[in-house]
Amino acid sequence: MNDMTPIQTTLKDWETDQEVRWCPGCGDYAILKAVQRTLPMVGADPKNTVFVSGIGCSSRFPYYIESYGFHTIHGRAPAFATGIKLANPDLDVWLVTGDGDGMSIGGNHTMHILRRNLDCQIMLFNNEIYGLTKGQYSPTSRVGTPSPTSPIGSVDRPALPCAFALGAGARFVARGYDVSKDLPEVLIAAYRHKGAAFIEIFQNCIVYNKDRFDDFIAKAVAADNQIMCRDGEPLLFAKNTKGLSLDLKTLSLKVVPVLDGDWQAAGVAVHNPRNRGLAHMLIEMPFGAFPMALGVIYDDPAPTFESAVIAERASLIAGKTADLGKLLSKGQTWTVPESSDAHGLMD
């Protein structure tokens, strides 16, 4: 989160003169507009904003945001983002990655930026496929996904990005999807969180994994198959006719009917994003028997990595005068006399 004074901008101020180039119908277009709408809402300043990406379809993002940007190397965007934030902690850093870039080759880097709690917003676009490299199954592809590398269906059990983030020590975990009207709300919450904010965004790959998320996004089923998590609000879905209740015997969630809108009598739980256990249960609910949990699922700030590094630097230099010559001569050093026989030293 940027601590500098908010300024007034419009969506147009965040658009570049570059031609936006994704496949027609790609969900990335909707995410781009959601981000460009969000940045004016939070008072972000283009001069103090940096977008960092790795490799993949999502990684075109820095070209299309009128701010500073780095299109880096496969899976290593977190390392660049860390260096940027340590060099200038006042910068507002956004990291853009995908399910392949961030969960496969970059999984190690994703883990460490989360556990360190670097103050940045991490958007992981999850289309459950490798789009840029022509449709191979990815770490998040569902069992049975057909692809060039799994022609009769993938047998891999998919990774859950949000569960991975929680396991890595993330202090903010959220979910949204590309065309959701609620996506800016989630992005605003991520921006206001002080620390690493991880947002998984389900994104439709129109070419290689079309309509993959229609089982909970399609208009006909959305009300029954998704639940929006908001702090202090009951966990209701299906037009408030169903809710999630905590079964104290099994310490797990269960779906309960809600009669006449009386969610309290039904025992529906109230969402508390500071409850890590509840966050795990919401993220790992088996879809089908349960709705897909969206919104801010976990939000419990902790001291950031860069604040600890800055404090450590300050303590090390307190009361000291910089002396490069003294530093270079410290430790195991020796002097070669001018009269030394160079040839003799080689013998």
Side-chain angles (χ1 to χ4, degrees):
M1 183 187 71
N2 193 339
D3 291 329
M4 304 185 78
T5 304
I7 70 166
Q8 283 193 332
T9 60
T10 67
L11 184 151
K12 292 291 184 182
D13 293 319
W14 295 94
E15 293 180 337
T16 70
D17 60 359
Q18 300 297 300
E19 178 187 0
V20 181
R21 298 181 63 186
W22 284 303
C23 299
C26 175
D28 287 354
Y29 287 98
I31 300 172
L32 174 64
K33 285 302 178 186
V35 172
Q36 289 173 330
R37 290 198 304 271
T38 299
L39 292 167
M41 293 180 192
V42 297
D45 186 345
K47 298 192 298 296
N48 296 309
T49 302
V50 185
F51 277 79
V52 186
S53 66
I55 296 296
C57 296
S58 63
S59 297
R60 295 178 179 271
F61 225 80
Y63 298 102
Y64 307 141
I65 298 285
E66 188 59 49
S67 67
Y68 293 103
F70 287 84
H71 188 176
T72 69
I73 52 181
H74 209 356
R76 274 66 176 181
F80 287 84
T82 301
I84 292 166
K85 193 70 178 181
L86 291 179
N88 188 347
D90 288 331
L91 290 176
D92 176 21
V93 177
W94 294 75
L95 195 154
V96 185
T97 186
D99 47 304
D101 184 63
M103 295 297 294
S104 183
I105 189 171
N108 185 48
H109 291 272
T110 303
M111 176 183 73
H112 292 304
I113 197 171
L114 291 171
R115 73 169 180 82
R116 285 171 171 160
N117 199 33
L118 187 83
D119 187 21
C120 62
Q121 294 73 240
I122 303 164
M123 298 187 295
L124 186 143
F125 297 8
N126 183 9
N127 55 22
E128 296 188 6
I129 207 77
Y130 278 105
L132 188 67
T133 51
K134 306 301 182 282
Q136 302 88 343
Y137 78 93
S138 84
T140 61
S141 295
R142 304 178 198 187
V143 173
T145 298
S147 79
T149 48
S150 56
I152 60 173
S154 168
V155 298
D156 283 5
R157 191 173 74 171
L160 295 175
C162 286
F164 172 89
L166 272 180
R171 310 295 302 197
F172 181 102
V173 177
R175 274 200 193 124
Y177 60 92
D178 46 16
V179 296
S180 170
K181 63 180 177 57
D182 297 316
L183 184 55
E185 174 187 331
V186 174
L187 296 174
I188 289 169
Y191 184 89
R192 290 175 177 166
H193 174 87
K194 186 70 173 177
F198 182 86
I199 315 106
E200 177 186 14
I201 305 175
F202 297 112
Q203 176 256 324
N204 186 32
C205 177
I206 196 73
V207 176
Y208 297 110
N209 214 14
K210 185 180 178 183
D211 302 330
R212 174 77 276 186
F213 307 109
D214 271 6
D215 49 7
F216 66 90
I217 287 176
K219 187 176 181 180
V221 300
D224 291 328
N225 292 346
Q226 58 180 257
I227 185 167
M228 190 68 180
C229 303
R230 292 186 173 95
D231 187 9
E233 294 188 10
L235 292 167
L236 295 166
F237 65 104
K239 298 180 180 178
N240 297 338
T241 63
K242 297 180 182 179
L244 298 178
S245 178
L246 180 62
D247 187 331
L248 296 179
K249 291 182 179 179
T250 61
L251 292 180
S252 61
L253 293 173
K254 62 181 180 180
V255 175
V256 295
V258 177
L259 303 177
D260 301 320
D262 193 348
W263 60 268
Q264 291 172 309
V268 174
V270 173
H271 184 48
N272 177 6
R274 292 160 294 285
N275 187 325
R276 189 179 183 85
L278 177 60
H280 271 290
M281 286 188 278
L282 288 168
I283 286 167
E284 296 177 0
M285 292 188 300
F287 181 72
F290 290 87
M292 178 64 68
L294 302 170
V296 178
I297 298 170
Y298 184 60
D299 184 359
D300 189 20
T304 64
F305 178 63
E306 69 277 9
S307 63
V309 172
I310 292 168
E312 183 181 61
R313 287 174 180 168
S315 67
L316 289 173
I317 65 175
K320 298 179 181 178
T321 302
D323 189 333
L324 182 60
K326 185 178 179 180
L327 179 64
L328 291 174
S329 63
K330 184 179 180 181
Q332 295 181 345
T333 62
W334 64 92
T335 302
V336 178
E338 293 182 6
S339 59
S340 294
D341 184 355
H343 293 288
L345 291 174
M346 297 296 291
D347 290 339

